[in-house]
């Protein structure tokens, strides 16, 4: 049975969360993209899409100029001019069609490469030594990292591409048509009671005022969507995590008849998701009142703005339609914010989740920077030493009963302690996963320590790949592998070396631990640190493993951290771990991130 109290204490959050700013979030995404292997590809596709958008805007200007001769030909009932303008339209529209297809392809490529860059960067940051472990114990920011790297990164890539390309296109169109609309407005003269009034750039100012008012109202109503979207993604992650947890424990749930409890938990999580979605839909409906109202007004707004000049006879029908077309282009560029307020809120919420996750990955290496750290040194004499070692935790300090301990090469030592003493914490401290505390750990110079956790890890692949995993010598032969498997009672697996399977599902708990020790024997290490992996063995399995270690690792130093001395002949030396609850506890560090989701449901239940 694992040391449960120690594990629960260790699982509590040890880092507080500080809010990051939009500047922090954009800077960290920029850093990720600048270091990406696909940054050159992204740069050239971005240059390409800018060129295509500029060419498209030129085509739009030409199309707008086409309005006047076309509608004037209609007004004059001039068939020849009408047919000629249709040919001009076909040429302009054909060019725009090609440009639109090219823009769509570039848009998709940017989206694809942006996701590749972001996801690869997050995976690289997350899988650096001990980072994933430390982040998992850093509170809410470390919850559901799979969703942040897979779903959130993909969503951020899609939104960033669509919004970025749309904003660029709107800006270029605005620059292209403001001059056109200003020139068209120069001839607008209002006749009021015999007085003539000319307003330079009249329709430009009208478009700016119209779109500015709509943008301000849209932001006022829609800004709550940022918080609501972020909350929804957190709730979705909790639901998915609960479903995965049920799927991974279906056998235990069936044996304990736990289906009603599992159903209640899933229904509760689904209820929180639906509640979050309901709040988003309410906010979107409120936003729609603003955007849809302006959308309908826009149908007649440019004609209403220009109609006094037209009825005064100062412009022709074709000139009116040209002015209306230019007004619509300028207004559509200015109302980009209105049209995309929902997507912008979604983008901000997703950016917050992805960027804050990456910020936390960077800063998890300096957690508890105000706390003292255990000093790691190398011992030229080839021994493992502990000098006044104290491992800090939120509950106190874990230490050895002896302040000065030296373990020489080839020694076999049993390290025991009461439940809750911190045996797993001590194991993680030796491995460097938990470096906070005091004292010194001296590692044997030039030697690699192999650590055996209580729950073995088997990467996806064939059995041969698992047994020849990293940190080992040259790959073992089939005969050597078969011999070692037979010695731990797994001889039946010798015929399955090249079969891929999820071995953690195919093998029982004892078989998985036996396979882990078989892998250990094939690596031939000189130093082995074991964390309670032997405690759950039954008598025959334990005897087989000890016999195999005696035969295969006769000169290796083996430290077994567990509950009791399994075999005094194999482990002749004993050390004791103690918990000093009166010692100063580890203080929470602060992570500069803006995650707003609650702690995991499991943590809330413990409270």
């Amino acid at each position: 049975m694992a040391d449960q109290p120690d594990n629960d204490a260790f699982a509590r959050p040890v880092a507080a969360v500080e809010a990051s700013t939009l500047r922090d979030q954009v800077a960290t995404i920029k850093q990720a993209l600048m270091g990406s292997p696909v940054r050159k590809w992204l740069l050239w596709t971005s240059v390409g899409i800018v060129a295509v958008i500029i060419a498209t805007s030129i085509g739009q200007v030409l199309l707008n100029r086409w309005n006047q001769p076309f509608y004037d030909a209609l007004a004059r009932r001039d068939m020849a001019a009408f047919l000629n303008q249709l040919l001009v339209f076909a040429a302009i529209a054909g060019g725009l069609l090609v440009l639109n297809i090219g823009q769509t392809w570039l848009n998709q490529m940017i989206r694809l490469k942006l996701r590749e860059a972001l996801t690869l960067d997050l995976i690289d940051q997350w899988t650096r030594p001990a980072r994933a472990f430390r982040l998992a114990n850093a509170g809410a920011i470390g919850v559901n990292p799979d969703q942040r790297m897979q779903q959130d990164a993909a969503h951020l890539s899609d939104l960033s591409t669509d919004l970025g390309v749309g904003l660029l296109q709107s800006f270029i169109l605005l620059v292209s048509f403001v001059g056109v609309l200003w020139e068209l407005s120069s001839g607008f003269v209002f006749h009021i009671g015999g007085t003539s009034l000319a307003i330079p750039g009249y329709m430009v100012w009208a478009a700016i005022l119209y779109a500015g008012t709509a943008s301000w109202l849209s932001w006022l109503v829609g800004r709550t969507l940022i918080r609501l979207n972020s909350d929804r993604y957190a709730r979705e992650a909790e639901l998915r995590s609960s479903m995965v947890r049920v799927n991974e424990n279906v056998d235990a749930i069936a044996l304990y008849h736990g289906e009603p409890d599992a159903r209640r938990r899933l229904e509760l999580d689904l209820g929180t998701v639906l509640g979050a979605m309901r709040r988003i839909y309410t906010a979107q409906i409120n936003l729609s009142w603003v955007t849809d109202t302006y959308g309908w007004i826009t149908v007649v707004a440019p004609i209403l703005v220009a109609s006094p000049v037209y009825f005064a006879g100062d412009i022709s029908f074709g000139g009116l339609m040209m002015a209306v077309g230019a007004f619509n282009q300028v207004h559509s560029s200015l109302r980009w914010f209105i049209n995309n307020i929902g997507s912008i809120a979604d983008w901000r919420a997703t950016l917050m989740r992805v960027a804050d996750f990456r910020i936390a990955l960077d800063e998890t290496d300096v957690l508890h920077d105000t706390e003292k750290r255990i000093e790691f040194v190398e011992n030229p004499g080839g021994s493992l030493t502990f000098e006044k070692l104290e491992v800090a935790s939120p509950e106190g300090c874990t230490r050895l009963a002896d302040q000065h301990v030296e373990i020489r090469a080839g020694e076999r030592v049993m390290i025991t302690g009461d439940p809750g003493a911190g045996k797993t914490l001590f194991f993680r401290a030796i491995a460097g996963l938990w470096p906070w505390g005091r004292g010194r750990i001296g590692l044997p110079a030039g030697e690699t320590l192999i650590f055996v956790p209580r729950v073995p890890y088997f990467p996806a692949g064939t059995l041969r790949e698992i047994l020849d995993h990293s940190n080992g010598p040259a790959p073992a032969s089939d005969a050597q592998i078969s011999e070692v498997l037979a010695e731990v009672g797994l001889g039946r697996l010798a015929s399955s070396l090249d079969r891929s399977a999820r071995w953690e599902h195919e093998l029982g708990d004892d078989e998985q631990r036996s396979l882990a020790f078989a892998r250990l024997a094939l690596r031939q290490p000189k130093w082995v640190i074991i964390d309670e992996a032997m405690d759950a063995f039954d008598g025959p399995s334990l005897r087989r493993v000890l016999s195999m270690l005696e035969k295969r690792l006769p000169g290796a130093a083996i430290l077994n951290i567990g509950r009791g001395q399994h075999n005094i002949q194999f482990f002749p030396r004993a050390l004791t771990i103690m918990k000093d609850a009166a010692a100063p506890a580890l203080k929470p560090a602060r992570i500069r991130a803006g995650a707003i989701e609650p702690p995991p449901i499991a943590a809330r239940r413990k409270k």
Side-chain angles (χ1 to χ4, degrees):
M1 184 73 180
D3 192 356
Q4 191 64 35
D6 172 45
N7 191 44
D8 284 348
F10 187 74
R12 295 189 186 107
V14 296
V17 176
E18 290 183 344
S20 65
T21 64
L22 176 61
R23 182 179 178 180
D24 294 330
Q25 295 161 8
V26 172
T28 196
I29 296 299
K30 178 182 176 182
Q31 180 183 1
L33 297 179
M34 291 300 292
S36 172
V38 300
R39 63 185 181 278
K40 290 184 178 179
W41 212 102
L42 275 172
L43 175 62
W44 285 113
T45 50
S46 299
V47 170
I49 204 165
V50 169
V52 168
I53 290 174
I54 292 175
T56 301
S57 68
I58 294 173
Q60 294 282 5
V61 171
L62 294 175
L63 187 62
N64 184 70
R65 289 178 180 175
W66 169 85
N67 279 322
Q68 183 170 8
F70 177 74
Y71 284 106
D72 284 343
L74 282 175
R76 297 192 309 267
R77 294 181 173 85
D78 187 341
M79 178 60 72
F82 172 76
L83 295 176
N84 181 62
Q85 290 304 315
L86 287 180
L87 293 176
V88 173
F89 172 79
I92 296 174
L96 288 174
L97 175 62
V98 173
L99 290 172
N100 288 339
I101 297 299
Q103 181 176 330
T104 301
W105 181 83
L106 287 170
N107 185 299
Q108 292 172 342
M109 290 301 102
I110 291 176
R111 182 181 303 185
L112 181 67
K113 289 298 180 179
L114 187 57
R115 180 182 182 182
E116 179 182 354
L118 286 177
T119 307
L120 285 177
D121 175 77
L122 291 175
I123 290 173
D124 174 68
Q125 296 290 324
W126 188 58
T127 54
R128 292 189 182 185
R131 271 193 178 178
F133 168 79
R134 291 173 185 170
L135 187 69
N137 294 280
I141 192 64
V143 175
N144 301 312
D146 54 319
Q147 185 189 45
R148 295 180 189 257
M149 290 187 289
Q150 184 261 330
Q151 182 175 326
D152 292 344
H155 196 43
L156 179 62
S157 301
D158 292 346
L159 289 173
S160 298
T161 302
D162 292 342
L163 291 174
V165 171
L167 179 59
L168 176 64
Q169 192 165 21
S170 295
F171 175 76
I172 292 176
L173 282 173
L174 177 63
V175 172
S176 302
F177 278 94
V178 159
V180 174
L181 190 59
W182 187 282
E183 182 179 353
L184 290 171
S185 301
S186 62
F188 283 19
V189 179
F190 296 91
H191 305 282
I192 305 174
T195 303
S196 298
L197 176 64
I199 303 177
Y202 160 69
M203 293 197 71
V204 174
W205 299 119
I208 292 174
L209 179 63
Y210 182 73
T213 305
S215 297
W216 177 74
L217 287 175
S218 298
W219 172 247
L220 202 64
V221 175
R223 60 185 177 180
T224 58
L225 284 168
I226 297 174
R227 176 181 55 81
L228 295 176
N229 276 311
S230 184
D231 181 61
R232 175 198 171 178
Y233 294 141
R235 307 296 183 181
E236 294 276 12
E238 286 292 343
L239 175 60
R240 185 173 65 176
S241 178
S242 295
M243 289 179 173
V244 170
R245 193 157 50 242
V246 170
N247 184 58
E248 290 179 345
N249 294 277
V250 289
D251 52 346
I253 291 173
L255 290 172
Y256 282 96
H257 303 290
E259 289 86 355
D261 290 334
R263 185 185 305 110
R264 279 193 296 271
R265 169 50 52 195
L266 293 176
E267 288 173 351
L268 177 61
D269 288 343
L270 177 61
T272 62
V273 170
L274 296 177
M277 293 177 67
R278 192 176 296 111
R279 290 188 290 273
I280 289 175
Y281 294 158
T282 301
Q284 288 175 338
I285 290 172
N286 293 334
L287 180 61
S288 294
W289 280 106
V290 176
T291 57
D292 290 356
T293 299
Y294 270 86
W296 282 108
I297 295 175
T298 302
V299 174
V300 296
I303 296 177
L304 290 175
V305 169
S307 60
V309 181
Y310 173 73
F311 287 116
D314 291 331
I315 57 172
S316 66
F317 180 68
L320 174 66
M321 297 310 296
M322 187 175 175
V324 168
F327 182 94
N328 284 332
Q329 290 289 357
V330 171
H331 176 258
S332 65
S333 300
L334 290 173
R335 63 171 282 136
W336 174 87
F337 183 82
I338 307 168
N339 294 335
N340 293 281
I341 181 64
S343 297
I344 292 171
D346 195 6
W347 176 80
R348 281 286 287 115
T350 311
L351 174 68
M352 183 188 301
R353 287 180 58 81
V354 174
D356 287 348
F357 180 70
R358 194 183 189 280
I359 290 171
L361 286 171
D362 281 336
E363 297 192 351
T364 190
D365 291 338
V366 292
L367 281 178
H368 310 291
D369 51 6
T370 60
E371 297 288 333
K372 292 185 178 180
R373 289 176 175 249
I374 299 168
E375 181 183 2
F376 288 83
V377 298
E378 287 194 349
N379 291 328
S383 61
L384 177 64
T385 58
F386 304 105
E387 300 290 339
K388 298 181 179 180
L389 179 62
E390 293 182 353
V391 185
S393 72
E395 287 70 38
C397 282
T398 294
R399 61 182 178 86
L400 289 168
D402 302 322
Q403 289 196 341
H404 305 280
V405 174
E406 180 179 13
I407 300 173
R408 300 183 181 277
E411 278 197 86
R412 297 169 183 169
V413 182
M414 184 71 201
I415 302 178
T416 61
D418 294 332
K423 295 186 287 294
T424 294
L425 194 63
F426 184 78
F427 171 81
R428 288 166 170 165
I430 302 174
L433 296 178
W434 194 259
W436 299 288
R438 298 174 178 82
R440 175 184 298 176
I441 296 178
L443 303 175
E447 299 291 346
T448 299
L449 278 65
I450 299 298
F451 295 89
V452 183
R454 65 176 72 171
V455 179
Y457 164 67
F458 301 127
T462 65
L463 192 60
R464 185 190 304 278
E465 291 170 340
I466 290 173
L467 294 172
D468 285 336
H469 197 45
S470 59
N471 299 331
S477 65
D478 288 6
Q480 290 174 309
I481 295 176
S482 299
E483 289 177 7
V484 172
L485 288 175
E487 290 169 7
V488 295
L490 298 176
R492 64 182 177 82
L493 298 179
S495 60
S496 303
L497 296 182
D498 295 312
R499 182 166 65 90
S500 293
R502 296 191 63 178
W503 298 102
E504 70 276 14
H505 290 172
E506 291 206 4
L507 302 178
D509 292 343
D510 259 15
E511 291 177 319
Q512 292 181 46
R513 284 185 285 270
S514 297
L515 185 62
F517 279 101
R519 177 173 58 187
L520 176 70
L522 291 169
R523 291 182 184 180
Q524 296 291 305
K526 294 183 179 179
W527 288 85
V528 180
I529 316 292
I530 304 170
D531 176 33
E532 299 186 337
M534 291 186 175
D535 288 348
F537 277 131
D538 57 23
S541 297
L542 179 61
R543 285 192 292 271
R544 283 195 296 267
V545 167
L546 292 178
S547 176
M548 183 270 296
L549 293 177
E550 183 77 52
K551 176 182 177 181
R552 299 286 175 175
L553 304 177
I558 302 177
L559 281 69
N560 182 32
I561 303 173
R563 292 195 306 273
Q565 294 202 12
H566 304 292
N567 188 310
I568 198 170
Q569 286 77 30
F570 194 87
F571 296 106
R573 184 179 177 186
L575 299 173
T576 303
I577 289 176
M578 303 172 58
K579 172 60 71 66
D580 186 357
L586 184 66
K587 297 178 181 179
R590 303 196 70 81
I591 291 180
R592 183 168 49 93
I596 64 170
E597 67 258 37
I601 289 176
R604 296 202 297 270
R605 286 199 299 266
K606 289 177 184 176
K607 294 180 182 179

